[in-house]
Amino acid sequence: MKGLPGFRDFYPEPIPTTDSWSLDLRQYIFETWRRTAERYGFREYDGPPIEELELYTQKSGEEIVGQLYNFEDKGDRKVSLRPEMTPTLARMAASHTRNYKKPIKWFSIPQLFRYERQQKGRLREHFQLNADIIGEEDVSADAELISLLIDTLRNLKLTEEDFFIRLSSRQAWQDFFEKNGGKENDAYDFYQVIDKLERTDQKASNEKLNKIGFSYEQVNEFISQGQPTEELSSIIENIEARGLGNFIKIDYRIIRGLAYYTGPVYEAFDKSGKFRAIAGGGRYDHLVKLISKGKTNLPALGFGMGDVVLTELLKDRNLIPKIQHIISAYVQITDETMRYTSLGLIQRLRQAGIATEYPLINTKPEKQFKRAVELSAKWIIAIESDNKVTIKNLRTREEQVCLVEDVTDFLELNN
Ligand code: HAM
């Protein structure tokens, strides 16, 4: 039987085929995400993988609602697997807002589910680093998040040759829309056309824009001028002060598909233009209020970075680290009468935090040695007679004899 389309199996290295997904690589990405977010003072949170359907139908936007993995549970509740983390975060923040000093800086690494048409960079499940700030109106928070995004990618060894951030503003588009006579009811459709501008042919976009009183030319002129708003200029200045200015560019073609964004928005792209967005985010100042049904009103902002496009990009740039599963010690059992004494030693080594392997069943000594080498064990250990042990360092080939009770100390000292 095969897995479902769009769902991945993650294998430990060495992966069976070049197309297989590596759990070791996933761990490397997660650890880098976690380490970078913690350096920026973000705390980790998590939420449930299933939520009430209504949480997503309120404000995520038609596109994501059409992609929901929703069903009725055995208690007749309308529920959905989470397609994104932001509504859960807004719900969590709203329900315990007094407990935390503002601004709240939180991150999470959820697995998300979207019933999408499968294509390059798009699957039916993916993992996302989500980093968000709740309770800060100032654009310094937007700049802090964009800098975290940049540094996360830099810590994965990507450089300014590889990626950049396209910065835009929903507010700037809203002002453009209103100034040019747009009607409130058409605002969402207008955003949708702008969001798809790069992927839709000019004529089709123009037709859609005409219906709501705009033209392709008019929109294109606004994009080409690319005048940063005051807000965007402050964000850029803040990011330049950190020496990260080269990573950012004003680009009004970005507007973001999700319905809840209100202010500055941005997406990270590879410079070659070969891949879909690596990450995207922005300000969503009204979502907490909406989800708490008016009880809590907190400004909020954040971004999500997916693991699928990121892995494709790291592979493309040859930035996958050499991943090897390393065992510290291999305890050889050449004489089966020594098995129980050996198990005692193995237990002590593992308790001391030393990764230790041994043959589960009676195995030829040469095979055991081969296995130790395959596992890249540093030490090969064999109990000779009741109390004597030989320890061989497989890197230097040096050999040592000591008493069984001294092995743990010796390895802790020399590891
Ligand atoms: P999003 O743009 O929908 O934003 O997703 C963020 C990133 O997740 C995308 O740039 C992409 O790399 C990855 N991604 C999304 N869908 C898929 C998929 N089907 N397969 C593979 N990768 C995917 C959000 O989800 C917002 N909630 C982010 C956010 C957090 N905004 C504020 N805080």
Side-chain angles (χ1 to χ4, degrees):
M1 243 168 106
K2 280 199 205 144
L4 286 168
F7 285 79
R8 295 169 289 174
D9 295 327
F10 286 90
Y11 288 92
E13 296 279 345
I15 49 174
T17 70
T18 47
D19 295 337
S20 307
W21 290 86
S22 157
L23 193 96
D24 295 279
L25 177 60
R26 179 174 113 184
Q27 278 306 93
Y28 162 73
I29 292 173
F30 286 8
E31 275 160 23
T32 313
W33 281 352
R34 196 166 267 129
R35 175 165 46 89
T36 319
E38 281 170 357
R39 276 195 203 164
Y40 270 72
F42 283 71
R43 301 290 314 278
E44 189 161 359
Y45 72 96
D46 200 1
I50 298 178
E51 292 268 19
E52 260 185 62
L53 178 64
E54 198 197 335
L55 187 67
Y56 306 112
T57 51
Q58 284 184 63
K59 196 71 192 175
S60 289
E62 275 161 39
E63 189 164 324
I64 221 167
V65 170
Q67 294 168 349
L68 288 175
Y69 258 102
N70 58 311
F71 55 96
E72 264 179 43
D73 73 4
K74 288 179 180 164
D76 299 329
R77 288 176 211 91
K78 289 188 168 32
V79 296
S80 174
L81 293 183
R82 57 185 175 197
E84 55 157 341
M85 198 60 175
T86 316
T88 298
L89 172 67
R91 180 181 62 67
M92 285 170 67
S95 39
H96 287 288
T97 181
R98 270 187 231 111
N99 225 56
Y100 296 96
K101 292 245 164 22
K102 313 298 169 313
I104 295 169
K105 292 170 82 179
W106 282 359
F107 79 95
S108 191
I109 307 182
Q111 188 174 24
L112 306 173
F113 306 89
R114 298 183 188 179
Y115 201 90
E116 296 209 47
R117 198 165 51 82
Q118 222 196 125
Q119 49 195 300
K120 195 165 165 276
R122 281 285 174 275
L123 299 172
R124 290 191 171 159
E125 57 70 29
H126 70 284
F127 290 90
Q128 243 186 40
L129 165 67
N130 271 246
D132 291 82
I133 298 182
I134 294 169
E136 185 50 73
E137 268 174 8
D138 197 89
V139 288
S140 56
D142 302 69
E144 175 80 349
L145 277 162
I146 296 171
S147 305
L148 168 61
L149 201 176
I150 296 171
D151 271 342
T152 305
L153 295 176
R154 288 172 81 212
N155 285 340
L156 289 161
K157 311 260 185 311
L158 292 160
T159 68
E160 63 180 80
E161 310 289 309
D162 300 308
F163 77 93
F164 72 119
I165 311 289
R166 300 163 71 187
L167 178 64
S168 177
S169 162
R170 269 274 167 102
Q171 192 56 54
W173 274 115
Q174 182 65 29
D175 293 346
F176 171 90
F177 182 74
E178 283 170 15
K179 219 171 67 199
N180 291 293
K183 292 187 207 73
E184 208 185 318
N185 278 351
D186 296 330
Y188 183 71
D189 288 342
F190 177 76
Y191 289 164
Q192 289 300 304
V193 181
I194 305 299
D195 185 47
K196 295 189 174 56
L197 221 49
E198 284 181 285
R199 284 167 274 153
T200 316
D201 94 18
Q202 202 168 311
K203 207 169 144 239
S205 298
N206 193 44
E207 273 165 22
K208 281 192 189 141
L209 285 166
N210 285 167
K211 274 194 201 138
I212 46 178
F214 288 84
S215 72
Y216 181 85
E217 207 181 314
Q218 184 187 17
V219 155
N220 200 35
E221 197 184 313
F222 178 71
I223 294 171
S224 315
Q225 282 170 355
Q227 272 309 326
T229 60
E230 224 172 276
E231 264 188 340
L232 296 188
S233 298
S234 313
I235 294 175
I236 291 179
E237 262 173 44
N238 182 311
I239 292 171
E240 276 172 350
R242 306 169 194 234
L244 300 175
N246 285 349
F247 286 97
I248 195 147
K249 206 168 170 260
I250 297 283
D251 190 339
Y252 285 134
R253 282 172 298 178
I254 299 297
I255 194 167
R256 305 279 298 135
L258 293 157
Y260 47 65
Y261 293 111
T262 52
V265 286
Y266 45 88
E267 287 186 0
F269 277 88
D270 71 295
K271 275 207 169 153
S272 67
K274 254 180 33 194
F275 302 96
R276 304 180 70 114
I278 311 163
R283 206 168 249 285
Y284 50 97
D285 281 347
H286 307 318
L287 190 64
V288 177
K289 187 170 172 200
L290 185 94
I291 279 174
S292 66
K293 308 237 177 331
K295 281 197 208 105
T296 313
N297 191 6
L298 282 171
L301 57 155
F303 70 82
M305 178 185 297
D307 70 323
V308 179
V309 179
L310 186 60
T311 302
E312 286 175 353
L313 179 61
L314 292 177
K315 278 190 179 163
D316 185 71
R317 301 293 142 93
N318 261 325
L319 288 173
I320 307 289
K322 201 169 162 6
I323 296 163
Q324 227 183 358
H325 173 60
I326 291 185
I327 273 288
S328 217
Y330 189 95
V331 175
Q332 255 187 323
I333 304 173
T334 42
D335 172 356
E336 279 301 314
T337 63
M338 300 307 286
R339 182 165 283 272
Y340 287 172
T341 320
S342 301
L343 285 174
L345 172 65
I346 289 158
Q347 185 65 17
R348 285 196 298 283
L349 289 173
R350 287 174 169 173
Q351 264 165 12
I354 297 163
T356 307
E357 259 292 25
Y358 70 99
L360 279 175
I361 53 166
N362 190 0
T363 308
K364 285 199 184 106
E366 315 84 77
K367 260 197 152 172
Q368 292 188 42
F369 188 82
K370 218 174 132 207
R371 185 89 188 105
V373 173
E374 273 165 15
L375 291 168
S376 305
K378 182 171 176 190
W379 310 99
I380 191 155
I381 299 168
I383 306 185
E384 297 298 336
S385 62
D386 262 2
N387 228 6
K388 289 259 172 58
V389 176
T390 50
I391 306 176
K392 187 167 179 169
N393 183 328
L394 282 177
R395 315 265 148 85
T396 61
R397 305 273 152 173
E398 274 173 300
E399 225 175 78
Q400 200 96 22
V401 178
C402 71
L403 295 175
V404 72
E405 57 264 34
D406 295 335
V407 177
T408 314
D409 285 349
F410 175 85
L411 291 202
E412 278 183 325
L413 270 178
N414 294 285
N415 227 356

